[in-house]
Amino acid sequence: MSSISKKTLYIETMGCAMNTRDSEHLASELGKVGYTQIDNPEIADLILLNTCSVREKPERKLFSEIGHFAKIKKPEAKIGVCGCSASHMGAQILQKAPSVDFVLGARNISKISQIIHQPKAVEVALDHDDSHYIFERSQSTLKAFINVSIGCDKHCSYCIVPHTRGREISIPMRLILQEAQRCVENGVKEIILLGQNVNNYGARFSGTHPKIDFRGLLESLCALEGLERIRFTSPHPLHMDDAFLECFAHHPKICKSIHMPLQSGSNTILKAMKRGYTKEWYLNRVEKLRALVPDVGIGTDIIVGFPGETEADFAHTLEVVDRVQFDTLYSFVYSPRPLTPAAHLENQVPDTIAKERLSMLQHRHQELLAQKAKNELGKVYRILVENVSEGSAQGRSDQGRLLSFEAQGVSVGDFIDVQVVAHHKGSLQAQRLGA
Ligand code: 5AD
Ligand code: SF4
């Protein structure tokens, strides 16, 4: 045991679910050497910024954030920059921001308790193998993120992630099952499997490992007694073969909502992005999915203004949005990132045009959502209650729909049946059945 005891830790987490999970991992490691997590950076002994680099704008804010924490922190408190920006900026961070004490890349999170003792350390090796590392959870929660793989091999031409999280390695199934089992014993009802391309699970392990794919992993997890719900993010549309979709449809514990990152509806742009599928394949997968699970919830990510994107290309994206009628849509203006091939393409789309397309896309999605919400009236859902406060409660259906209802007689963690009674701007109000 280290000499450190009774110290406090503040973590600022940016970015995706993977980063949320990494922050839990950081807190768990530091918990073992005496740190308690708090939510006030002004009195913390250690401040960690767990960063995201997927787009330029939030990354630009990193240095003003560091400046802010440097100003408000206790004089002796340390600042560490972790995560994806740490991975690809490395020592530059120390040069630009002398108040930073160390830099720890996304692939090296498990080394946190050593790094805090090494002034000005930069630990960003992309070949570090964290795939055997499972951490102890300190708190019992309703939902838990579990990694199934680290890194990404896809090299989509716009994406920095392979340069921040390194090559894709699957985590041995034995460890995933152990972690899921421990979660269930601690009261977790829903697990969310995480990976850059979850349905490519099993493509590469760091040691010898019995042959297994994502379906095999899902089937083993479904057999865990006490585990009620399984979600995963993100699957890659390219790997959504019939067998995968049938497995998804077949198992009652697998929630019927799925994230299918489209990125673009234009075949020209999909090719330039190196996505590996066409608009036709994508629509065919949606059709197959809906044939198997008619009320499946489908979410997506779309980038507008990728270099060379014409009005006609964008019209294809809008057409896919119209045809699929996504339940959730995360949309972004293309942001050129260092180390990515697309950043060097000549025909970059002017920002004003990209922003116009973004707002058209978001507007269209909102219209479709409002139409869809009308069809929800009267529908009955079984939901897991996630939040109860001041007389009102929220829960999510299997399909990922968020419903609000009166909190009377319900507690977080209950499964209850509700009926949709009203909608407002795409959000759904419900009434408990049989109460
Ligand atoms: N510019 C804009 N959006 C991006 N994404 C990834 N890289 C970029 C980029 N360079 C989006 C993709 C991805 C989501 C997590 O972020 O849509 O699915
Ligand atoms: Fe997550 Fe990608 Fe951002 Fe890293 S760069 S935090 S993997 S979204």
Side-chain angles (χ1 to χ4, degrees):
M1 190 75 175
S2 153
S3 56
I4 302 173
S5 63
K6 296 215 168 120
K7 292 211 166 184
T8 53
L9 161 72
Y10 174 84
I11 310 183
E12 179 93 355
T13 306
M14 302 144 215
C16 63
M18 194 73 87
N19 256 22
T20 304
R21 147 113 193 175
D22 285 347
S23 288
E24 289 170 8
H25 188 166
L26 288 164
S28 162
E29 286 304 307
L30 289 168
K32 288 188 214 159
V33 292
Y35 282 83
T36 309
Q37 198 170 354
I38 56 168
D39 55 13
N40 181 357
E42 293 177 25
I43 54 168
D45 298 300
L46 175 61
I47 296 175
L48 297 180
L49 280 78
N50 196 7
T51 59
C52 173
S53 56
V54 84
R55 278 168 292 276
E56 188 193 2
K57 215 165 155 194
E59 189 162 64
R60 249 193 277 133
K61 282 201 209 143
L62 171 63
F63 290 96
S64 58
E65 292 247 353
I66 295 171
H68 163 73
F69 286 117
K71 220 183 270 167
I72 62 162
K73 76 180 181 70
K74 294 198 295 192
E76 69 282 12
K78 286 183 181 170
I79 299 182
V81 176
C82 310
C84 286
S85 303
S87 297
H88 80 98
M89 292 168 90
Q92 276 176 50
I93 296 177
L94 294 181
Q95 281 153 17
K96 273 197 182 171
S99 55
V100 172
D101 291 282
F102 61 85
V103 175
L104 183 68
R107 185 103 174 187
N108 297 267
I109 291 300
S110 61
K111 297 182 190 160
I112 183 69
S113 17
Q114 296 129 55
I115 220 85
I116 51 172
H117 300 297
Q118 299 168 24
K120 302 291 169 189
V122 177
E123 192 70 52
V124 293
L126 279 188
D127 54 3
H128 178 66
D129 181 4
D130 246 358
S131 68
H132 282 71
Y133 200 86
I134 292 288
F135 66 90
E136 301 268 323
R137 286 160 201 276
S138 50
Q139 292 161 343
S140 118
T141 50
L142 195 61
K143 303 180 183 190
F145 290 124
I146 299 185
N147 273 12
V148 302
S149 60
I150 58 171
C152 180
D153 284 348
K154 282 279 180 281
H155 289 276
C156 298
S157 63
Y158 53 81
C159 188
I160 197 171
V161 173
H163 304 280
T164 66
R165 292 188 175 267
R167 289 184 85 197
E168 184 173 319
I169 304 182
S170 299
I171 293 169
M173 184 162 88
R174 170 182 56 83
L175 296 180
I176 298 172
L177 291 175
Q178 265 172 25
E179 189 173 359
Q181 178 70 49
R182 260 207 311 266
C183 285
V184 171
E185 283 160 13
N186 289 331
V188 167
K189 300 259 165 81
E190 179 174 310
I191 60 169
I192 302 125
L193 305 175
L194 295 181
Q196 242 63 47
N197 297 296
V198 284
N199 50 344
N200 197 35
Y201 178 78
R204 185 194 301 116
F205 291 95
S206 62
T208 46
H209 193 275
K211 204 170 157 44
I212 183 90
D213 62 7
F214 191 53
R215 276 190 300 140
L217 174 66
L218 284 175
E219 273 154 19
S220 300
L221 284 165
C222 286
L224 275 188
E225 225 173 284
L227 179 60
E228 311 258 6
R229 279 182 164 184
I230 301 169
R231 298 188 192 272
F232 49 82
T233 193
S234 286
H236 195 296
L238 180 64
H239 303 297
M240 290 190 178
D241 55 16
D242 286 357
F244 166 73
L245 295 182
E246 278 153 19
C247 166
F248 172 81
H250 172 74
H251 282 284
K253 285 189 184 178
I254 302 178
C255 288
K256 300 302 178 267
S257 78
I258 193 161
H259 194 66
M260 292 179 67
L262 169 68
Q263 311 302 1
S264 170
S266 151
N267 284 340
T268 315
I269 299 297
L270 285 171
K271 197 164 177 203
M273 287 176 161
K274 295 205 161 46
R275 290 292 289 169
Y277 55 85
T278 59
K279 168 189 177 188
E280 290 72 27
W281 166 260
Y282 188 94
L283 288 171
N284 172 278
R285 295 297 83 191
V286 171
E287 205 178 303
K288 167 97 190 170
L289 192 56
R290 289 231 164 100
L292 291 165
V293 189
D295 66 344
V296 63
I298 304 181
T300 202
D301 292 345
I302 291 177
I303 298 175
V304 297
F306 183 84
E309 185 188 69
T310 62
E311 286 299 325
D313 292 318
F314 179 59
H316 281 289
T317 300
L318 287 180
E319 186 202 327
V320 176
V321 168
D322 276 349
R323 285 176 65 177
V324 178
Q325 310 218 344
F326 294 104
D327 295 273
T328 50
L329 186 155
Y330 298 99
S331 49
F332 314 99
V333 165
Y334 166 72
S335 168
R337 303 309 294 127
L339 309 168
T340 62
H344 306 292
L345 293 173
E346 272 171 12
N347 41 2
Q348 302 281 327
V349 173
D351 209 38
T352 45
I353 294 182
K355 282 186 177 142
E356 256 170 46
R357 289 182 188 164
L358 184 76
S359 98
M360 273 171 78
L361 176 66
Q362 290 175 342
H363 183 74
R364 186 70 194 123
H365 173 62
Q366 286 309 320
E367 277 177 358
L368 292 167
L369 269 191
Q371 278 171 27
K372 272 170 84 112
K374 283 186 204 152
N375 301 335
E376 291 292 315
L377 282 178
K379 281 195 184 164
V380 172
Y381 289 112
R382 183 151 191 81
I383 59 166
L384 173 59
V385 180
E386 294 181 6
N387 181 37
V388 176
S389 84
E390 292 172 8
S392 143
Q394 284 82 40
R396 227 170 251 286
S397 75
D398 212 24
Q399 299 76 4
R401 293 189 185 111
L402 188 65
L403 295 118
S404 303
F405 51 97
E406 248 182 59
Q408 222 179 4
V410 297
S411 309
V412 169
D414 289 349
F415 279 95
I416 59 167
D417 293 323
V418 298
Q419 182 167 38
V420 181
V421 290
H423 62 89
H424 178 64
K425 289 187 177 168
S427 81
L428 301 174
Q429 274 83 51
Q431 219 163 47
R432 189 174 177 187
L433 290 177

